Amino acid sequence: MTYEEFCAGFQIRLNEQQAEAVRSVEGPVLLLAVPGSGKTTVLITRLGYMIYCAGILPEEILTLTYTVAATHDMAARFRAYFGEELGGRLEFRTINGVCARIIQYYGRLIGKSAFTLLTDEKAVTAMLSGIYQKVEGAYPAGSDIKNIRTLITYIKNSMLTGEEIRKLEEGCGFRIGGMYQNYCGELRSRGLMDYDDQMTYAYAILRKSPETLQYFQNRYPYLCVDEAQDTSKIQHEIIRILAGEQDQLFMVGDEDQSIYGFRAAYPEALLRFGQDHPGAKVLLMEENFRSNARIVEAADRFIQKNVFRHEKHMRAARPAGAEIREIELKGRSVQYRYLVKVAQDCRTQTAVLYRDNESALPLVDLLERQGIPYRIRSAELAFFTHRVVLDIQNMILFAENPGDTDLFLQVYYKLSTYISKENAVRICEISREKKLGVLETAIFHGGLQPKVRESCMEICSGLKKLLKDTAEQAVNRIVRELGYGDYLERAGLGDGRLFVLRALARNEESPRRLVERLAELQEIIKEKKNDPKCKFILSTIHASKGLEYDTVYLMDVIDGIFPEGEPGQGKMAGEKSRDSIPGSMRAEADRDLEAYEEERRLFYVGVTRAKERLLIFTVNRKSVFAEELIRGGISALSRQTRERADLRIGAVRAVQGGFRKGREGNAFSGEAFAQFCEALGEGLIVVHKKFGKGVVAEMEENWVIIRFEERERRFELKTLFENNLLKLQ
C-alpha cells in the first residue's frame, strides 16, 4: 500500500512535517513536537504506516509510554483508527512494564525467583520512617517521607555515583546518603524491590546477560517512545541498549516541555540524540493547532531564550484571538476572591493552573464555604503534613495544653526559650512529677539561668495571649513574637506555607478553629469526588500536561513563587555572568541555569494549555515571566544595570561557592567575605531567603540596610554571608 492509498483509505490528513515523521521508519529518528502539534496522532498514524505500508509485523513493534494511563489511551486510539484485531497484536507498555518482563525472563533463565515488587505504600512509609529515625534521630513529618522517596527515586533514575549522592546531600537538609543505603539494604534483606529497582535490575541484566538482551532485541526490533523528554537517564540507557546496533528507534518528545526534573527527567538525552545514535534523523513538528496565534507567538518568543534546547519555532495554525491579559493585583490574596467570582459565573471550560498544590488551598477553602462547584486534578496532601504547618498546629495545641510534655519537646527549640535539650528533658520529668505546666515548671523549678528563665516567662505569656487571638493573629504572634520566624530563618526554611496558613486563618475566629479547619480541608480534598461536567477546574501545571482548556488562569506568577527562587538567573541574567565565574565553579552555574530553565519550561507548558484566553495573575507587576511573555522584555532593570548585575552575580556565586568549600573545614575566609561585601552596593536588587526581594538602601561598615515591600530592615553582613541568606537578582 502506498502512502497516498494509506491516507485515503483511513481518511488521514497531515501537514508536510507530520507526513515526513510518519514515513520515517528506518534508523534512529527523533521527532521534536511543539505543544498542540498532534504528536499522538502522528505516532498512532506512523504505527499504522509501518504495518500497512512498510510491511512490518505489529508483533515486532514495542511502543513505550510514560504512564499506564497513557498506554491504555494510546492503544484505544490505535484501535479506533485501525481496528480491534490489529490493535490486539501491538504492544503498548510503560518502561517499568518492559523491565518487569526482562527480570522475569532472566529469572526463568537462571532458575531463580525475582525479588517481590513492593507496592504497599504503608509498608514503604513505615520502612522510611524507621530509617529516618535511625539516621536523623528524630521523627519525620509526612512531607519529609515524601521528600526522601522523591530523592531516592532521583538517585536511582539519575544513576548517581557515591560522590554525586554526597553533593546532593549538601543541599537537601538531611542525610539522604545514609537513608538511601539503609533503604536499599533493607529491601534486599527482605527480598523486595521497588519500581525504581525494576529499572536498575533490568539495566544490569541487559548488560551482563547477552542471551536476555538478544531475546528482547529479536522480540522487538522496532521501538517507539512517547514523551521522551520525561524519560530518566536510566530509562534512556535501557532504551539505547534494547535498540542495539540496528537502532530502529523512534522517539517523540520536546525538551521545551520537560518539567519533571524532580523525578529525574533527562531532557539532555534529546539534545545529544545524534551523539548516542549515529546517523540519527532529527525531525520537527512546529505547527500548533491548539492555541490562538497571540498565545502561540508569545509562548514561542518566551521559550526561545532558553539555552538547553534544539533550534525550533512554534507557529500558529489558528488566527489571532483574544490578547493575553495580565491581571495586576495589589496583594496575592485578591486573586482568590477574583476566582470565586469566575467560578460562580463559569459557563465555558476554565482551568486555574498553578505551580504547587498549596497555591490552590485558600481558593478551595472559599469555594467550599460558598458551595461553588469545582473540579481538582491530582491534589496532594503534602501541605498538611509539612513541618511548618505541623509546627504551627503543635504550638497552638501546646498553648491549649501547657502540660503536654510531648508537644513541648517538639516545639521548645523552635521558640525563643533558649532551653538546652538536656534541660528540656529534665524539665519535662519534673513537670510530670509535679503535674504542672512545662513552662511553669521551667520558670519556677527548672534551675535555669536568669536570661533563659526570662525568655520562658515571655513565651509563657505569649502563649496565653495567643488563646485570645483570632486565628490570623495567633499565626503572626507565633512567627513574630514567639521566635518561630527566627527559627525558620536559621533552618533555611521558606515562609511560603505561612502565607497559605495566614490566608486560611483569615476566615477563622480562633486558633482552635484553624487547627480544625486544616483537618477538615485535608479530608475534603482526600474524599473529593469530581463531577466531570463541572467547567471550573483546578490543577497544577504538572497535572495539566497534555491537556487543553478554553480559558486558562495562571495563579501566583510572582517572582520567588513562580518562578521559585531567584528571578534573573540563567539566560535572563545573560552569559556574561557565567563567563565571570572561574572554571571550577561553572558546573554549579550550569546546574543553576538548568534549574531555572525548568521553571521557564513549566511556565511555557502552563501558557500553552490555553486555547482561546490566557489570563495571568501578578502582584504589583513583580513578575519577570509575565513581563517577558506579554511585553517581550524585562522591566525590573535597565539594560546597563542588568549587565552590571550580571557581573556581580557571577562574583557572588563564586564567593559563596568558595565559602561553602571553606566552611566544610570550619574555616572562614576573610578574603571571600571582603569580596562578598564589595559585590553589594546601594540601589542593587537583592533576594533575602526569608524576606524576599528588596533594594540595598544603605551600606555601613559591618551592616546593610535593605528596603523590602513592607519596611526597611538592618542586617549584619557577616551573618548574611555565613548563612548564605542573601543573593543578587
Side-chain angles (χ1 to χ4, degrees):
M1 184 183 291
T2 65
Y3 172 73
E4 290 73 20
E5 292 170 338
F6 172 71
C7 290
F10 292 101
Q11 297 182 325
I12 292 167
R13 300 171 69 180
L14 303 174
N15 64 26
E16 186 177 332
Q17 287 185 328
Q18 292 172 328
E20 184 181 7
V22 166
R23 293 196 298 261
S24 298
V25 298
E26 293 298 325
V29 178
L30 173 62
L31 175 61
L32 299 169
V34 304
S37 60
K39 72 173 180 62
T40 304
T41 297
V42 166
L43 202 157
I44 294 296
T45 304
R46 184 179 180 276
L47 291 172
Y49 178 85
M50 292 172 73
I51 296 165
Y52 283 101
C53 301
I56 297 168
L57 293 174
E59 291 81 6
E60 294 182 332
I61 306 169
L62 175 62
T63 302
L64 298 171
T65 61
Y66 190 57
T67 64
V68 173
T71 64
H72 296 324
D73 177 64
M74 197 170 294
R77 291 183 66 170
F78 183 88
R79 289 194 297 270
Y81 268 82
F82 302 110
E84 291 289 337
E85 190 276 331
L86 201 60
R89 296 169 62 190
L90 271 174
E91 283 199 46
F92 297 90
R93 292 187 179 274
T94 62
I95 296 179
N96 272 94
V98 173
C99 288
R101 294 192 65 190
I102 291 169
I103 293 168
Q104 290 165 3
Y105 178 87
Y106 181 69
R108 290 194 299 270
L109 194 66
I110 64 173
K112 291 185 178 180
S113 297
F115 284 171
T116 302
L117 183 64
L118 179 58
T119 58
D120 185 345
E121 289 297 316
K122 290 183 179 178
V124 175
T125 298
M127 188 185 303
L128 290 175
S129 180
I131 290 169
Y132 185 97
Q133 292 174 49
K134 177 182 175 182
V135 174
E136 292 289 329
Y139 289 99
S143 58
D144 294 327
I145 298 296
K146 181 187 173 187
N147 288 339
I148 294 164
R149 291 202 66 179
T150 299
L151 287 168
I152 288 173
T153 289
Y154 183 85
I155 289 168
K156 292 180 180 180
N157 277 267
S158 298
M159 307 172 73
L160 297 189
T161 63
E163 179 59 30
E164 288 169 332
I165 294 172
R166 282 190 289 276
K167 288 182 180 178
L168 178 68
E169 189 173 274
E170 291 174 7
C172 75
F174 43 76
R175 288 173 282 185
I176 187 61
M179 295 182 200
Y180 171 71
Q181 293 294 338
N182 275 272
Y183 175 71
C184 292
E186 194 157 340
L187 285 178
R188 284 193 298 271
S189 69
R190 297 187 189 185
L192 299 171
M193 64 178 169
D194 61 18
Y195 285 105
D196 301 313
D197 287 330
Q198 277 188 323
M199 290 180 288
T200 58
Y201 292 154
Y203 174 68
I205 289 167
L206 291 175
R207 295 185 68 196
K208 74 180 182 181
S209 173
E211 186 174 345
T212 304
L213 176 59
Q214 189 68 50
Y215 171 81
F216 282 93
Q217 286 179 336
N218 291 339
R219 179 78 177 81
Y220 305 115
Y222 291 89
L223 300 178
C224 301
V225 182
D226 190 23
E227 301 288 9
Q229 76 280 344
D230 297 330
T231 306
S232 68
K233 185 175 183 178
I234 195 167
Q235 290 170 340
H236 277 289
E237 284 298 305
I238 290 168
I239 291 165
R240 184 183 60 80
I241 293 172
L242 286 174
E245 293 183 2
Q246 297 301 314
D247 218 6
Q248 300 289 4
L249 173 62
F250 181 71
M251 298 189 81
V252 186
D254 179 13
E255 72 281 351
D256 290 337
Q257 298 181 72
S258 181
I259 58 174
Y260 290 103
F262 63 96
R263 292 184 190 166
Y266 190 62
E268 292 91 333
L270 275 63
L271 299 178
R272 49 176 296 151
F273 189 80
Q275 295 172 252
D276 294 338
H277 303 275
K281 184 187 292 187
V282 178
L283 304 178
L284 303 176
M285 289 199 331
E286 299 169 292
E287 193 169 10
N288 179 301
F289 298 93
R290 174 190 299 151
S291 307
N292 86 54
R294 295 187 194 278
I295 296 171
V296 171
E297 289 164 8
D300 180 65
R301 184 175 62 242
F302 178 85
I303 203 63
Q304 289 300 319
K305 296 188 179 181
N306 270 22
V307 174
F308 298 112
R309 67 188 299 271
H310 284 276
E311 178 64 31
K312 58 182 177 296
H313 282 274
M314 181 168 59
R315 58 179 185 271
R318 297 179 51 208
E323 295 272 5
I324 299 172
R325 182 182 166 200
E326 179 181 9
I327 304 173
E328 185 188 353
L329 308 172
K330 291 186 177 180
R332 188 179 169 192
S333 296
V334 181
Q335 63 190 328
Y336 308 130
R337 298 193 293 275
Y338 188 108
L339 287 169
V340 166
K341 292 180 181 178
V342 172
Q344 285 175 326
D345 303 322
C346 188
R347 292 180 177 82
T348 60
Q349 188 188 48
T350 300
V352 179
L353 305 183
Y354 34 86
R355 187 187 185 282
D356 297 307
N357 273 287
E358 62 198 42
S359 288
L361 289 178
L363 176 58
V364 168
D365 183 44
L366 292 176
L367 292 171
E368 287 287 341
R369 289 174 185 276
Q370 298 185 37
I372 299 171
Y374 66 97
R375 277 191 279 160
I376 187 165
R377 287 182 51 83
S378 303
E380 291 185 359
L381 302 173
F383 172 84
F384 300 98
T385 60
H386 191 274
R387 283 196 171 279
V388 172
V389 179
L390 294 178
D391 284 344
I392 295 292
Q393 291 185 85
N394 286 339
M395 290 168 189
I396 292 171
L397 293 173
F398 180 65
E400 293 181 339
N401 303 279
D404 191 322
T405 54
D406 289 335
L407 283 173
F408 176 77
L409 290 174
Q410 291 184 58
V411 302
Y412 77 92
Y413 60 95
K414 300 174 183 179
L415 301 172
S416 297
T417 63
Y418 305 108
I419 298 175
S420 68
K421 183 176 182 179
E422 181 181 356
N423 280 335
V425 172
R426 180 177 56 80
I427 288 166
C428 284
E429 291 174 355
I430 299 172
S431 170
R432 286 190 289 267
E433 289 173 6
K434 293 184 175 292
K435 296 183 180 179
L436 293 174
V438 185
L439 285 172
E440 184 183 356
T441 302
I443 295 165
F444 296 107
H445 307 285
L448 301 173
Q449 294 290 327
K451 286 187 177 180
V452 178
R453 184 170 173 270
E454 184 179 336
S455 296
C456 289
M457 292 175 68
E458 290 176 0
I459 297 298
C460 188
S461 173
L463 289 172
K464 288 177 181 177
K465 292 177 184 176
L466 179 150
L467 296 176
K468 299 178 182 179
D469 287 339
T470 65
E472 186 178 12
Q473 288 171 340
V475 173
N476 289 334
R477 185 184 298 277
I478 288 168
V479 175
R480 297 170 184 170
E481 296 180 24
L482 303 185
Y484 188 60
D486 295 332
Y487 165 77
L488 291 178
E489 186 171 345
R490 290 196 307 273
L493 295 172
D495 58 0
R497 288 167 187 84
L498 287 178
F499 173 85
V500 176
L501 274 173
R502 288 188 179 104
L504 296 174
R506 210 159 287 140
N507 300 314
E508 300 298 344
E509 60 186 14
S510 68
R512 158 55 61 178
R513 269 301 302 154
L514 174 60
V515 173
E516 292 170 351
R517 186 56 177 169
L518 288 169
E520 291 166 3
L521 281 173
Q522 186 173 11
E523 190 65 20
I524 286 168
I525 294 170
K526 183 179 178 181
E527 300 298 328
K528 175 75 174 173
K529 289 181 172 56
N530 289 316
D531 178 1
K533 295 180 182 178
C534 181
K535 300 289 187 182
F536 191 72
I537 303 152
L538 309 180
S539 175
T540 62
I541 297 174
H542 286 99
S544 73
K545 191 164 175 289
L547 302 176
E548 56 187 38
Y549 306 97
D550 293 331
T551 298
V552 166
Y553 288 85
L554 286 175
M555 277 181 69
D556 285 339
V557 184
I558 306 164
D559 293 348
I561 300 172
F562 190 19
E564 185 181 47
E566 302 171 70
Q569 285 184 0
K571 179 66 175 177
M572 294 202 303
E575 294 178 5
K576 294 182 186 67
S577 63
R578 183 180 184 276
D579 292 340
S580 69
I581 303 172
S584 60
M585 309 306 299
R586 289 189 181 177
E588 182 178 348
D590 284 344
R591 285 194 296 273
D592 288 344
L593 176 57
E594 288 168 9
Y596 186 72
E597 289 205 351
E598 179 157 327
E599 290 285 295
R600 293 176 58 82
R601 294 195 296 265
L602 187 63
F603 184 71
Y604 173 75
V605 168
V607 165
T608 53
R609 298 312 94 196
K611 294 162 64 177
E612 307 297 341
R613 299 173 67 231
L614 174 65
L615 303 96
I616 300 172
F617 287 110
T618 64
V619 175
N620 297 325
R621 284 204 167 176
K622 292 182 178 179
S623 171
V624 171
F625 281 3
E627 177 67 31
E628 190 175 345
L629 181 82
I630 298 171
R631 288 172 284 279
I634 303 170
S635 63
L637 296 174
S638 70
R639 189 172 195 175
Q640 185 179 13
T641 305
R642 167 63 64 186
E643 288 176 357
R644 288 200 303 269
D646 289 343
L647 295 174
R648 289 183 181 234
I649 289 168
V652 169
R653 278 190 181 164
V655 169
Q656 291 172 333
F659 174 70
R660 281 195 295 274
K661 287 190 173 183
R663 187 167 53 189
E664 291 170 5
N666 296 319
F668 180 84
S669 168
E671 182 181 352
F673 176 58
Q675 291 174 14
F676 170 79
C677 297
E678 188 179 342
L680 293 173
E682 292 179 11
L684 199 65
I685 295 178
V686 294
V687 179
H688 189 280
K689 272 193 176 180
K690 177 180 178 182
F691 301 108
K693 189 194 294 184
V695 177
V696 177
E698 188 177 340
M699 290 285 296
E700 302 174 11
E701 184 178 355
N702 298 312
W703 298 81
V704 61
I705 296 175
I706 300 175
R707 184 182 302 115
F708 297 99
E709 185 177 351
E710 296 180 353
R711 64 187 179 93
E712 290 185 347
R713 294 180 182 271
R714 189 165 179 258
F715 301 97
E716 186 183 26
L717 287 166
K718 185 177 178 182
T719 300
L720 292 174
F721 179 68
E722 286 181 331
N723 295 284
N724 197 22
L725 294 175
L726 197 69
K727 294 189 179 181
L728 299 180
Q729 183 181 343

